[in-house]
Amino acid sequence: MPKQAYSLLRPECQTSSVVFASPHSGCDYPEWFLRRTLLNAQTIRSSEDAYVDKLFAAAPEFGAPFLVAEAPRAFLDLNRAADELDPALIRGVRRPVNNPRVASGLGVIPRVVAHGRPIYHGKMALDEANRRIDAYWRPYHARLQSLLDETRAGFGRAILIDCHSMPHEALDTMVRAGAKRPEVVLGDRFGASAETDIVDEIEAAFASAGFEVSRNAPFAGAYVTQHYGRPARKQHAIQIEIDRSLYMNEDTIEPRSDFEAVRARLASVIRDIIAIGMPRQSLAAE
């Protein structure tokens, strides 16, 4: 099993209602898992949001906590509900009703990685699936909710920034001829998971750093934004997807030579997003 469910990077003093999280950048692959999978050590990483934890690592420096998953996405998907179990992979599970994520092999215990490549030969026991959920899914989500509760108690609201990356090809069918290709997709479940004014400010932060931004297509947000986005309770959730080709070679899963330059651009975005959640008197004093 991976050594731990998550790492929590805290600022010396939290100054904002913004909380960052990265559920898919974990890369702690147990040796027994790599021996069991049909895939090689590189292909198994194709669904991973590689280096997203490093891209957003500046968050604590600017006053926001950053929760980072340690378990890899191919091992356990933290952006799925605990009951999104795949009967094609897990013995003793009934087929869910109208769940396209599970049907495509992308449940809480994934059956496939990118391009539909199978992870396992045969099925696993329900007990094994439940052990993974109990050991990694439940601690991660319990800590995330407690962070949001603490933040809301201290600042009157909480703004969750759920950090992801997307394959460059994900937008191939979305971009019209002659149109600029988005480099960042913001997902707020079409306004259901966060107040529009907050998403507008986040979009402006990316645009001011020179990123092309779109909303909700093809990624509007999955379990995390759906579950945690409760604007009426002053709890907002916004998913951020960044084009992987901006900062890494998607074939080799290695950082590009200009990785640090991209990270520096994102640091300015992170600073501006955190400022959105600062108390107004703090902003006036700066």
Side-chain angles (χ1 to χ4, degrees):
M1 292 287 194
K3 296 179 182 66
Q4 58 190 36
Y6 60 81
S7 296
L8 176 57
L9 309 177
R10 280 191 177 275
E12 290 186 11
C13 176
Q14 185 172 344
T15 59
S16 170
S17 62
V18 176
V19 172
F20 288 80
S22 175
H24 286 164
S25 58
C27 56
D28 185 5
Y29 293 86
E31 283 298 324
W32 66 263
F33 175 69
L34 293 176
R35 289 194 301 269
R36 181 175 173 184
T37 179
L38 297 170
L39 305 172
N40 62 39
Q42 181 167 308
T43 306
I44 195 70
R45 299 187 64 192
S46 59
S47 294
E48 179 188 312
D49 287 347
Y51 309 110
V52 165
D53 54 337
K54 294 179 172 57
L55 290 176
F56 287 88
E61 298 172 26
F62 295 113
F66 185 25
L67 184 68
V68 179
E70 297 291 341
R73 184 184 185 184
F75 183 81
L76 176 85
D77 193 336
L78 293 161
N79 200 18
R80 299 290 184 263
D83 62 358
E84 289 188 87
L85 296 168
D86 185 351
L89 174 65
I90 302 165
R91 291 191 295 273
V93 173
R94 292 184 177 181
R95 187 166 298 280
V97 178
N98 298 327
N99 189 317
R101 293 192 292 256
V102 172
S104 63
L106 297 173
V108 64
I109 309 291
R111 173 166 40 91
V112 301
V113 294
H115 305 295
R117 290 168 290 193
I119 297 172
Y120 306 95
H121 176 74
K123 292 190 173 188
M124 73 169 63
L126 179 58
D127 283 350
E128 179 181 342
N130 285 333
R131 280 196 298 272
R132 294 189 195 185
I133 291 166
D134 289 343
Y136 302 99
W137 192 98
R138 297 193 193 284
Y140 178 89
H141 283 284
R143 194 67 187 94
L144 179 54
Q145 186 61 70
S146 68
L147 273 176
L148 296 174
D149 290 343
E150 293 164 14
T151 298
R152 193 168 49 174
F155 295 89
R157 66 174 179 175
I159 302 169
L160 172 60
I161 307 298
D162 199 42
C163 306
H164 297 261
S165 65
M166 58 185 175
H168 183 72
E169 65 183 21
L171 298 178
D172 284 351
T173 61
M174 306 293 298
V175 181
R176 300 188 307 275
K180 289 187 176 180
R181 186 187 189 96
E183 298 168 315
V184 175
V185 177
L186 304 181
D188 64 355
R189 298 191 67 81
F190 300 94
S193 69
E195 290 179 357
T196 300
D197 289 351
I198 294 173
V199 187
D200 288 344
E201 291 185 85
I202 293 171
E203 181 172 349
F206 277 101
S208 68
F211 291 97
E212 291 292 329
V213 188
S214 69
R215 293 194 197 181
N216 291 312
F219 304 107
Y223 173 78
V224 168
T225 46
Q226 182 177 13
H227 179 75
Y228 293 100
R230 296 288 186 268
R233 301 180 194 170
K234 302 296 183 183
Q235 182 171 288
H236 309 270
I238 302 95
Q239 177 177 280
I240 294 176
E241 297 273 2
I242 298 177
D243 185 342
R244 292 174 188 166
S245 69
L246 291 177
Y247 64 88
M248 78 177 206
N249 181 313
E250 294 184 79
D251 293 327
T252 63
I253 318 182
E254 292 294 332
R256 283 175 35 149
S257 59
D258 58 351
F259 180 88
E260 290 301 328
V262 175
R263 186 158 71 164
R265 286 174 68 196
L266 281 172
S268 70
V269 177
I270 292 164
R271 179 198 62 211
D272 290 348
I273 291 175
I274 290 172
I276 296 167
M278 287 182 175
R280 294 301 172 187
Q281 58 267 31
S282 297
L283 292 174
E286 289 185 353

